[in-house]
Amino acid sequence: MIILSGGTGTPKLLNGLRTLIPPEDITVVVNTAEDIWVSGNLITPDIDTVLYLFSDRIDTEKWWGVAGDTFRTYEAMKSSGYNEAMMIGDFDRATHIMRSDILRTGGTLTSAIQKLCGSYNIKANILPMSDDPVSTMITTPQGKMHFQDFWIKNYGKLDVIDVSIDGISDAAIAPAVLEALEVDDEVLIGPSNPITSIGPILALPGMRKILKHKKVIAVSPIIGREPVSGPAGKLMQAHRFEVSSVGVAKCYQEIVDVFVIDERDTADMLDFDDIGCEVVRADTLMRSVDVSVGLSKQILGFFEGM
């Protein structure tokens, strides 16, 4: 199975899936449009969350970063007057250094992540969506800025006028991702932000065309009129999508076959009629591993029925 992932929401689902599927049968294609260079090293937030999940290092209180990480380097730099916008842990920084060293010596992002998977004894196939640099940019009343500046520096509080992805038209789907898509017909779009987490993956030239010929299930990250977490609401409004599970389904129109909404969602099934997919209800609010496993079992059952 191939899973399209951003941060937080989809890793929670992966935490359930990995108890039911052998890790070597899981391929995770991860958003890279939120990647950013900090203090000379490339941070890939969404990829790192997946790496730490599959290596059993993830901080499950925050669903990012490393559990029990220390911050001595960050604090030493801060005491010297060098302030990083991101509070980077020491183990986390080691990941960034190793990845960046591979890139500086001519490796691709895919090869760097594969080497990290080997170092961390990860059996799942974790792949960046592209080896080419792309950046999600947010236009606000204060100007155009990188997503991380919008979300970390400004706490996501600024109004959003527009969302764009710099470099996406010149980016290619990573060769390893294309290879995976050639042999696997089951694609799961996880409950990550449809605009800035899943959106860049789908925006890669040729990706939507490929997915039209796959069995695609998507899980909504929105219940009622509110995202479970993160700034998806503002970002969807900037793209003129309704902030609802119906709006998320429209983001995936023409590629999704089965759309999973939360059992508590107030959406009327009739609202999905013009989207052209089957809509099913499940408990998608993954507050425990048991809920993640239960949702994963249902998703596997949906695939079997397709």
Side-chain angles (χ1 to χ4, degrees):
M1 180 187 296
I2 296 172
I3 300 96
L4 308 188
S5 179
T8 309
T10 304
K12 288 182 180 179
L13 180 54
L14 287 168
N15 199 30
L17 279 170
R18 70 188 184 127
T19 70
L20 304 172
I21 305 174
E24 56 269 21
D25 292 339
I26 296 176
T27 295
V28 190
V29 177
V30 193
N31 170 46
T32 60
E34 294 175 19
D35 296 3
I36 190 169
W37 288 84
V38 176
S39 300
N41 296 304
L42 179 65
I43 299 177
T44 61
D46 291 352
I47 291 176
D48 291 346
T49 297
V50 178
L51 288 175
Y52 298 148
L53 170 67
F54 279 95
S55 61
D56 295 317
R57 292 181 169 92
I58 188 75
D59 184 336
T60 54
E61 293 296 319
K62 300 181 296 187
W63 279 98
W64 55 268
V66 176
D69 209 349
T70 56
F71 295 86
R72 292 179 180 177
T73 304
Y74 174 85
E75 294 294 346
M77 294 169 70
K78 185 177 180 180
S79 68
S80 299
Y82 191 95
N83 293 313
E84 291 178 325
M86 291 183 175
M87 190 172 179
I88 302 170
D90 295 319
F91 187 98
D92 196 20
R93 193 183 300 272
T95 299
H96 306 158
I97 291 170
M98 290 186 285
R99 172 173 47 237
S100 303
D101 189 54
I102 294 168
L103 294 173
R104 278 189 283 264
T105 54
T108 63
L109 184 56
T110 297
S111 67
I113 300 308
Q114 288 174 335
K115 288 181 180 179
L116 286 169
C117 284
S119 298
Y120 296 165
N121 197 31
I122 295 170
K123 304 301 181 185
N125 192 23
I126 300 171
L127 302 173
M129 67 181 202
S130 178
D131 288 321
D132 301 314
V134 296
S135 298
T136 292
M137 304 299 293
I138 311 297
T139 302
T140 75
Q142 293 186 14
K144 188 175 180 180
M145 63 186 67
H146 192 281
F147 176 83
Q148 300 298 347
D149 292 329
F150 165 77
W151 185 236
I152 304 297
K153 286 186 179 180
N154 291 285
Y155 307 100
K157 292 182 178 180
L158 299 176
D159 291 335
V160 178
I161 298 170
D162 192 22
V163 183
S164 57
I165 311 171
D166 284 4
I168 195 69
S169 60
D170 296 321
I173 301 169
V177 174
L178 287 173
E179 290 176 13
L181 287 166
E182 285 177 4
V183 299
D184 201 328
D185 284 330
E186 294 181 348
V187 177
L188 172 62
I189 300 177
S192 294
N193 188 316
I195 304 300
T196 56
S197 293
I198 304 299
I201 304 175
L202 300 182
L204 286 165
M207 181 62 83
R208 281 184 172 267
K209 183 177 180 181
I210 292 171
L211 294 181
K212 283 182 181 180
H213 303 286
K214 301 294 181 183
K215 299 175 182 178
V216 179
I217 295 176
V219 181
S220 177
I222 288 181
I223 300 175
R225 297 285 179 175
E226 294 291 335
V228 174
S229 64
K234 281 185 177 182
L235 302 171
M236 289 181 69
Q237 288 175 330
H239 271 233
R240 294 178 175 79
F241 285 109
E242 176 184 295
V243 183
S244 68
S245 54
V246 176
V248 177
K250 288 183 178 179
C251 291
Y252 304 147
Q253 196 162 9
E254 298 183 352
I255 62 171
V256 64
D257 299 298
V258 177
F259 189 65
V260 184
I261 67 173
D262 190 79
E263 61 191 14
R264 291 160 286 249
D265 201 301
T266 55
D268 190 318
M269 290 298 185
L270 294 175
D271 295 335
F272 295 92
D273 280 354
D274 63 345
I275 296 174
C277 64
E278 180 184 358
V279 181
V280 295
R281 292 184 183 272
D283 186 355
T284 66
L285 194 58
M286 293 172 283
R287 290 176 173 162
S288 70
V289 176
D290 288 343
V291 177
S292 299
V293 172
L295 177 58
S296 299
K297 286 179 179 178
Q298 287 181 275
I299 289 169
L300 293 176
F302 298 148
F303 273 120
E304 288 177 4
M306 293 172 72

